[in-house]
Amino acid sequence: MAQNQRTQVLLHPDFRVGEIDRRLFGSFVEHLGRAVYTGIYEPGHTTADEHGFRSDVAELTHELGVSMVRYPGGNFVSNYTWEDGVGPRADRKPFIDLAWRTIEPNEVGTDEFLQWAEREGIEPMMAVNLGTRGVAAAVALVEYCNGEAGSKWADMRIANGREEPYAVRLWCLGNEMDGPWQIGHKDAHEYGKLAAEAGKAMKLVDPSIELVACGSSSMQMDTFGEWEQTVLSYTYDIVDHISMHAYYEEVGGDRASFLASGTAMDRFIRRVVASVDAVGARKRSDKEITISFDEWNVWYLETRFVGEKKLPLQRDAPRIIEDVYSGLDAVVVGDLLVTLLNHADRVPVACLAQLVNVIAPIMTEPGGGSWRQPTFYPFATTARLAQGTTLDLRVTAPTTTTAKHGAVPVVTAAATWDGAALSADGSSGTGAGALALFLVNRSSEPVDVEIAHPGLAIALTGGLEVVADHQTAVEGPEHAAKVAAACIRELGTPQVVQDGPGRTVLTLAPESWTAFEGTATRA
Ligand code: AHR
């Protein structure tokens, strides 16, 4: 392990990965368990607004810094008839959601969600059902959401009380269609043809929309790689993004592999980019398809989840996959964010799955309080501090060998700077701006990081440190508060050694994620 070995980071203001799209800090609300009902929505709750949405959850969502929310699924969307969830509530009928074996009351649907997102200043990301449905239903939904008065579905929206189009920009063409668990699962040719036709027609309704084709549900799928290439062979000219989904967990006490999840995510992104670009090259296309990493998180899928097929048929917002997180999970979430920032050039969209109660940073009790899980803190801090451009760091770090991922670096890092905007002649930045450094130490020893920053004067003023713990997950706000007290520390002015011009040395705690906040000015 790394003990006392110095890690070196070269940070230069002219080396840049790319501008950070604010949609990188998206999240996800699916009709699953208590994400909607008793999550964002609970009429009668003491904090509920006039529309029945919990304002305590909305406040935490703002504090989390979520820019965008994906809806309505997830696996749920693949057997969803969106028309059943609009119009007068008294006329809406419950149905059996086959994805999570739950009676969906259809009390919250497209209008309620989109109006909530609008009131909260959050960009919506919608998904269409390409499992049990197809082109016509997808086209109708785009028209319902974005159409001007004077056509059937837009007029239905107006009759339902919403005059202005919602102008939903981002649309998923189905969800995880490569997965055999998906209702209406398809092979890559079937899905590619359907997605191309649906996407073509949806853009004829509203040419300004952006489309996401389904990529693989994970890198472990047997069809991974082949799936992306086949799907894009049909959809390359129509879609704008391809999706990635990945969940990480500690299995069998293999802490080192779990702590290296950021490297696994990095490799996954590089492989998808390679597959996507290979299709572009074959097509001799100048178009660049980017990535919508629209589901990512820590999820104890293998170790705690019983599997959707074993779920009894339930009603009234059952507790499904309400994972309880530790400081260790928070360190990993921070590291995954480091990876996403470092791919800002190819990953403009990402969604922490999910927002509330279901594998979520925010938890609620029906009729009771709401609280932050440990994973809330690295997300909120990154969303707040990561402004402007990701700088292209050169990190020289010792490696450690993990059972699952082989050799991985012991330290990972990302830096963002909002003084990096190019001047009109394209030669230099504005010269000064907010700087954030995100550093992860995966080893069980403290590590010194020596940062060389020629041409930049850096002043660090504070930040946040998250350290891993060894706690067993226990449910409830008291547990979350205990973990936060033990693992999460606001930094004052950090213990920085500025040993020479353009050189800063920082010490990272064992198994930690740290965000340093400050300013950087061209020297
Ligand atoms: O986020 C939970 C589930 O994980 C989603 O419904 C599905 O898309 C994925 O498998």
Side-chain angles (χ1 to χ4, degrees):
M1 206 49 99
Q3 259 145 287
N4 301 326
Q5 274 184 271
R6 274 198 171 182
T7 292
Q8 291 175 323
V9 175
L10 173 61
L11 181 159
H12 193 286
D14 291 335
F15 300 162
R16 300 159 194 186
V17 175
E19 280 292 300
I20 299 159
D21 192 315
R22 296 319 296 172
R23 296 178 297 178
L24 199 61
F25 303 107
S27 188
F28 178 25
V29 170
E30 177 169 1
H31 283 256
L32 191 187
R34 300 195 304 117
V36 174
Y37 305 107
T38 74
I40 57 171
Y41 176 80
E42 191 179 339
H45 189 270
T46 49
T47 73
D49 64 16
E50 59 191 305
H51 309 278
F53 284 81
R54 285 181 68 149
S55 55
D56 59 337
V57 173
E59 270 162 37
L60 285 173
T61 303
H62 289 301
E63 189 186 317
L64 187 63
V66 163
S67 56
M68 187 191 69
V69 172
R70 181 170 177 248
Y71 175 87
N75 296 342
F76 172 83
V77 79
S78 296
N79 73 139
Y80 182 48
T81 301
W82 69 265
E83 298 90 323
D84 293 347
V86 298
R89 280 214 175 100
D91 299 343
R92 299 188 199 172
K93 307 271 184 303
F95 78 100
I96 301 178
D97 162 38
L98 304 173
W100 304 105
R101 296 189 34 77
T102 304
I103 304 291
E104 164 57 45
N106 265 327
E107 210 175 308
V108 170
T110 303
D111 287 300
E112 287 80 17
F113 171 75
L114 290 177
Q115 288 169 28
W116 172 77
E118 191 173 74
R119 285 195 301 277
E120 301 307 333
I122 291 167
E123 177 170 350
M125 177 188 199
M126 294 290 284
V128 298
N129 175 355
L130 294 188
T132 58
R133 308 191 76 196
V135 181
V139 165
L141 182 56
V142 175
E143 188 190 310
Y144 185 88
C145 293
N146 291 4
E148 300 285 349
S151 62
K152 175 179 166 180
W153 297 103
D155 286 348
M156 183 186 282
R157 179 195 71 233
I158 294 165
N160 288 340
R162 169 68 186 207
E163 185 73 35
E164 277 295 294
Y166 293 108
V168 178
R169 172 165 57 149
L170 205 49
W171 293 82
C172 301
L173 294 164
N175 176 70
E176 295 192 346
M177 297 310 300
D178 62 326
W181 58 86
Q182 203 66 215
I183 308 298
H185 157 64
K186 293 172 176 52
D187 72 27
H189 292 279
E190 290 164 342
Y191 170 69
K193 284 180 198 166
L194 178 59
E197 287 308 312
K200 179 178 79 185
M202 289 161 74
K203 280 195 170 173
L204 286 170
V205 176
D206 182 353
S208 73
I209 62 176
E210 290 175 37
L211 295 174
V212 183
C214 288
S216 295
S217 302
S218 77
M219 201 168 68
Q220 283 63 49
M221 299 299 290
D222 289 345
T223 48
F224 171 60
E226 191 68 47
W227 173 273
E228 279 74 5
Q229 300 227 351
T230 306
V231 167
L232 285 173
S233 70
Y234 293 103
T235 59
Y236 200 92
D237 295 331
I238 290 156
V239 304
D240 304 280
H241 316 277
I242 187 147
S243 73
M244 292 180 64
H245 291 180
Y247 293 100
Y248 302 93
E249 70 189 296
E250 184 181 3
V251 180
D254 183 1
R255 194 173 173 94
S257 294
F258 180 48
L259 276 161
S261 299
T263 297
M265 182 194 244
D266 176 69
R267 291 175 187 163
F268 186 18
I269 294 173
R270 288 175 196 281
R271 286 169 192 165
V272 172
V273 166
S275 303
V276 165
D277 288 350
V279 180
R282 260 204 319 270
K283 288 182 176 283
R284 295 159 186 83
S285 174
D286 292 330
K287 179 177 176 182
E288 191 171 74
I289 302 283
T290 51
I291 287 166
S292 170
F293 213 128
D294 43 51
E295 287 187 35
W296 70 269
N297 203 350
V298 170
W299 177 7
Y300 287 84
L301 183 58
E302 207 175 300
T303 40
R304 293 184 206 158
F305 183 50
V306 296
E308 63 278 4
K309 288 196 193 71
K310 291 195 192 138
L311 293 171
L313 184 63
Q314 296 185 84
R315 58 179 72 241
D316 300 332
R319 291 176 191 262
I320 303 176
I321 51 175
E322 299 198 357
D323 281 17
V324 176
Y325 292 119
S326 65
L328 172 63
D329 300 324
V331 169
V332 170
V333 163
D335 200 0
L336 296 170
L337 284 159
V338 165
T339 301
L340 289 171
L341 286 173
N342 281 330
H343 287 283
D345 55 337
R346 290 305 288 267
V347 187
V349 175
C351 302
L352 176 70
Q354 299 195 6
L355 180 66
V356 52
N357 290 331
V358 174
I359 41 172
I362 300 170
M363 298 299 291
T364 69
E365 264 308 310
S370 50
W371 63 95
R372 303 162 191 82
Q373 293 235 49
T375 52
F376 184 100
Y377 301 92
F379 188 98
T381 301
T382 304
R384 182 172 64 83
L385 296 183
Q387 301 290 338
T389 301
T390 301
L391 297 179
D392 193 358
L393 303 178
R394 293 290 179 275
V395 181
T396 312
T399 58
T400 186
T401 302
T402 62
K404 217 166 153 186
H405 314 299
V408 300
V410 164
V411 171
T412 61
T416 62
W417 187 41
D418 74 358
L422 290 176
S423 63
D425 67 1
S427 58
S428 64
T430 50
L435 174 89
L437 296 171
F438 304 94
L439 292 156
V440 180
N441 174 12
R442 294 165 172 170
S443 83
S444 51
E445 301 293 330
V447 167
D448 288 337
V449 180
E450 181 185 311
I451 304 171
H453 41 93
L456 265 192
I458 290 180
L460 298 179
T461 50
L464 190 84
E465 180 187 72
V466 180
V467 294
D469 55 5
H470 291 267
Q471 307 215 18
T472 322
V474 188
E475 223 171 308
E478 292 77 24
H479 167 73
K482 245 202 296 188
V483 175
C487 299
I488 291 149
R489 187 166 68 97
E490 291 275 354
L491 301 175
T493 304
Q495 298 283 318
V496 172
V497 184
Q498 293 262 7
D499 57 354
R503 205 161 155 276
T504 300
V505 180
L506 297 163
T507 301
L508 304 180
E511 296 186 339
S512 66
W513 170 91
T514 313
F516 296 97
E517 156 176 28
T519 54
T521 312
R522 278 182 190 273

